[in-house]
């Protein structure tokens, strides 16, 4: 158990941003009066740690500037709370993969310099469970790279955690790339590749980058442009469960990170609208994935036979010979068989909102529609 509770953090994750990103992201933003202490404390720590960023930049150019991956990445896609973390952790048992860790997402500029000290400190302070479920947390566990990207550039969808009043603006620009400029898209591509290279350098895994990042679900076209032979695993989960779980997750995550407020009603509307935009973007863009490079599965089916479905994904996508990772994956899936998930009872309001707003997803994926 860490010394700090996530809900009581005195700073937010922007402490790990570089100074240029912090300034551009926060320029002209409204800071709520009761969040100013957190803002100024975060700003101060960020300014101090940013003094170390040039050390990593120099080392990156010296060691990794010309580095090229031998294989394109594997992307795990799906809306938040669709089981992507569970699948990510399973695939990460394969030492053929490298990935971005929880530590690296918060301190992406302190990966090639200072990592042992800062990681140890982070592990001492951070909670050992996620605030919304029973999934374990640790500095070295695989994590979604959007948190790192939000600390490396001002063009990340996760900027909405800090400035939720611009949620839909960030959604259209940086989640689905519908309104992103050419210059911003180029920065995204360069920053993402840089993060991949440094994560590869700083972890003990292999040469295939393993990504689990829900925002990538709306960026498939751009990802295929970057990595023509990338493999994609798309997870779909019961929309009633996703709504209840996402509302809980976003509510518990946004409160410690936000620097301005929105009402619960506004958050609910944003969740409903973002799901639809992400769903439509994926359905429109998946046609760009080459035949044989996309594996779609219901999370309920995956969870019922995690080991068998993982093996099937390896075979369908031609990732590599499954027997090379079979023992490690078997150990992990066997260990997780007793995992206790949060249980959700679908309240009448949940059923009404999902039926009215996400009914298409229930029908597309043949889920039971509650009256």
């Amino acid at each position: 158990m860490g010394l700090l509770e996530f809900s009581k953090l005195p700073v937010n994750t922007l402490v790990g941003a570089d100074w240029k990103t912090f300034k551009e992201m926060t320029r002209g933003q409204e800071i709520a009066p009761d969040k100013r202490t957190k803002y100024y404390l975060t700003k101060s720590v960020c300014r101090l740690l940013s003094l170390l960023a040039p050390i990593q930049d120099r080392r990156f150019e010296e060691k990794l500037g010309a580095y090229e991956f031998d294989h394109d990445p594997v992307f795990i896609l799906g809306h938040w709370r669709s089981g992507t973390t569970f699948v990510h952790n399973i695939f990460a048992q394969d030492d053929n993969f490298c990935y971005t860790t929880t530590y690296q997402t918060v301190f992406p500029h302190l990966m090639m310099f200072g990592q042992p000290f800062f990681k140890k400190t982070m592990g001492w302070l951070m909670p050992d469970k996620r605030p919304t479920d029973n999934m374990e947390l640790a500095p070295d566990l695989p994590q979604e790279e959007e948190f790192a990207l939000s600390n490396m550039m001002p063009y990340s969808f996760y900027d909405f955690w800090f400035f939720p009043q611009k949620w839909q603006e960030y959604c259209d620009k940086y989640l689905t790339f519908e309104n992103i400029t050419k210059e911003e898209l180029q920065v995204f591509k360069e920053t993402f590749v840089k993060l991949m290279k440094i994560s590869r350098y700083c972890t003990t895994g292999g040469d295939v980058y393993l990504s689990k990042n829900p925002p990538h679900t709306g960026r498939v076209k751009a990802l295929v442009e970057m990595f023509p032979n990338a493999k994609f695993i798309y997870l779909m989960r019961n929309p009633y469960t996703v709504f209840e779980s996402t509302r809980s997750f976003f509510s518990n995550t946004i409160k410690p990170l936000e620097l301005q407020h929105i009402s619960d009603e506004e958050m609910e509307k944003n969740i409903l609208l973002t799901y639809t935009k992400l769903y439509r973007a994926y359905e429109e863009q998946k046609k760009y994935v080459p035949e044989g490079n996309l594996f779609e599965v219901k999370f309920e089916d995956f969870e019922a036979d995690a080991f068998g479905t993982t093996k099937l994904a390896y075979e369908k996508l031609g990732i590599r010979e499954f027997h090379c990772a079979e023992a490690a994956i078997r150990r992990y899936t066997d260990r997780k068989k007793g995992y206790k998930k949060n249980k959700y009872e679908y309240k009448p309001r949940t059923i009404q909102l999902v039926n009215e707003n996400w009914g298409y997803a229930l029908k597309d994926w043949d889920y039971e529609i509650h009256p």
Side-chain angles (χ1 to χ4, degrees):
M1 182 69 178
L3 291 182
L4 297 178
E5 296 181 33
F6 188 78
S7 61
K8 297 179 181 179
L9 292 175
V11 296
N12 66 29
T13 54
L14 285 176
V15 293
D18 63 272
W19 187 235
K20 180 181 178 182
T21 294
F22 185 92
K23 287 194 300 181
E24 290 190 30
M25 187 191 301
T26 59
R27 182 181 295 117
Q29 299 280 10
E30 174 189 341
I31 308 298
D34 64 324
K35 296 294 183 179
R36 288 174 184 167
T37 299
K38 174 170 285 191
Y39 167 74
Y40 285 114
L41 184 55
T42 299
K43 181 178 181 179
S44 298
V45 177
C46 173
R47 187 70 183 99
L48 180 63
L49 294 180
S50 289
L51 297 175
L52 302 175
I55 301 176
Q56 174 163 291
D57 290 340
R58 289 194 296 271
R59 292 187 177 183
F60 175 81
E61 291 302 325
E62 293 171 359
K63 298 177 180 293
L64 300 174
Y67 176 79
E68 298 290 341
F69 283 87
D70 292 332
H71 305 281
D72 282 348
V74 172
F75 291 98
I76 299 170
L77 307 178
H79 189 278
W80 297 267
R81 317 306 298 150
S82 292
T84 55
T85 297
F86 179 58
V87 176
H88 194 204
N89 288 342
I90 290 176
F91 276 75
Q93 304 309 305
D94 184 346
D95 61 11
N96 189 48
F97 290 121
C98 61
Y99 48 80
T100 302
T101 67
T102 300
Y103 167 81
Q104 293 164 0
T105 61
V106 179
F107 298 108
H109 304 288
L110 296 172
M111 292 161 65
M112 300 179 75
F113 170 79
Q115 182 168 185
F117 170 77
F118 288 105
K119 185 169 68 176
K120 185 176 182 179
T121 303
M122 181 180 180
W124 180 54
L125 293 173
M126 70 183 294
D128 57 5
K129 299 288 184 183
R130 292 201 311 198
T132 52
D133 54 28
N134 292 316
M135 294 297 290
E136 57 188 330
L137 270 180
D140 285 323
L141 287 177
Q143 185 57 264
E144 58 193 69
E145 59 267 20
E146 195 72 16
F147 288 107
L149 294 174
S150 70
N151 278 343
M152 298 173 74
M153 63 177 184
Y155 311 131
S156 165
F157 174 61
Y158 278 4
D159 295 355
F160 91 91
W161 291 124
F162 317 113
F163 305 107
Q165 292 174 10
K166 292 189 174 182
W167 189 321
Q168 290 309 312
E169 177 183 335
Y170 294 142
C171 179
D172 293 338
K173 294 184 73 174
Y174 308 136
L175 179 65
T176 65
F177 286 175
E178 182 177 345
N179 294 335
I180 197 170
T181 67
K182 291 182 179 180
E183 294 75 17
E184 291 170 340
L185 181 57
Q186 185 59 33
V187 171
F188 164 81
K189 291 180 177 181
E190 292 174 357
T191 303
F192 183 36
V193 171
K194 180 178 181 179
L195 174 64
M196 288 173 55
K197 290 181 178 182
I198 300 177
S199 295
R200 167 66 186 91
Y201 179 83
C202 294
T203 57
T204 58
D207 193 59
V208 180
Y209 185 80
L210 179 66
S211 163
K212 187 279 291 193
N213 197 42
H216 283 338
T217 308
R219 306 165 178 165
V220 170
K221 181 181 178 182
L223 294 174
V224 173
E225 291 172 354
M226 296 172 66
F227 312 106
N229 196 39
K231 315 293 185 181
F232 295 88
I233 300 167
Y234 176 73
L235 292 159
M236 181 65 190
R237 192 179 188 184
N238 189 312
Y240 297 113
T241 301
V242 168
F243 178 77
E244 289 280 4
S245 187
T246 300
R247 183 170 55 185
S248 173
F249 170 60
F250 280 16
S251 297
N252 284 283
T253 302
I254 206 169
K255 297 302 181 184
L257 300 180
E258 66 182 2
L259 296 174
Q260 56 186 215
H261 301 294
I262 58 172
S263 67
D264 291 340
E265 292 75 17
E266 289 174 306
M267 179 178 292
E268 201 171 70
K269 290 178 181 178
N270 278 312
I271 290 171
L272 291 168
L273 185 55
T274 300
Y275 182 100
T276 294
K277 289 181 177 181
L278 190 65
Y279 188 96
R280 298 301 189 199
Y282 170 75
E283 289 297 324
E284 168 60 27
Q285 295 179 37
K286 70 179 183 180
K287 64 186 178 186
Y288 297 104
V289 180
E291 185 177 354
N293 285 7
L294 174 61
F295 182 79
E296 297 181 313
V297 62
K298 282 185 177 181
F299 177 65
E300 293 83 1
D301 294 338
F302 188 101
E303 187 180 39
D305 182 11
F307 179 82
T309 309
T310 300
K311 181 179 180 181
L312 181 63
Y314 268 71
E315 294 170 350
K316 293 288 187 181
L317 296 174
I319 294 175
R320 73 161 174 162
E321 293 297 326
F322 182 71
H323 69 82
C324 298
E326 183 173 357
I329 291 174
R330 172 73 79 181
R331 284 194 298 271
Y332 185 85
T333 54
D334 285 350
R335 192 166 71 247
K336 291 299 178 181
K337 284 182 178 178
Y339 169 67
K340 296 181 179 179
K341 300 185 302 178
N342 290 337
K343 294 183 178 181
Y344 297 95
E345 296 182 4
Y346 305 142
K347 299 177 182 178
R349 175 170 172 75
T350 293
I351 294 173
Q352 178 186 353
L353 288 173
V354 171
N355 287 349
E356 291 177 353
N357 293 274
W358 299 351
Y360 55 85
L362 291 165
K363 294 177 182 177
D364 289 350
W365 285 82
D366 196 29
Y367 282 103
E368 178 186 357
I369 300 177
H370 291 266

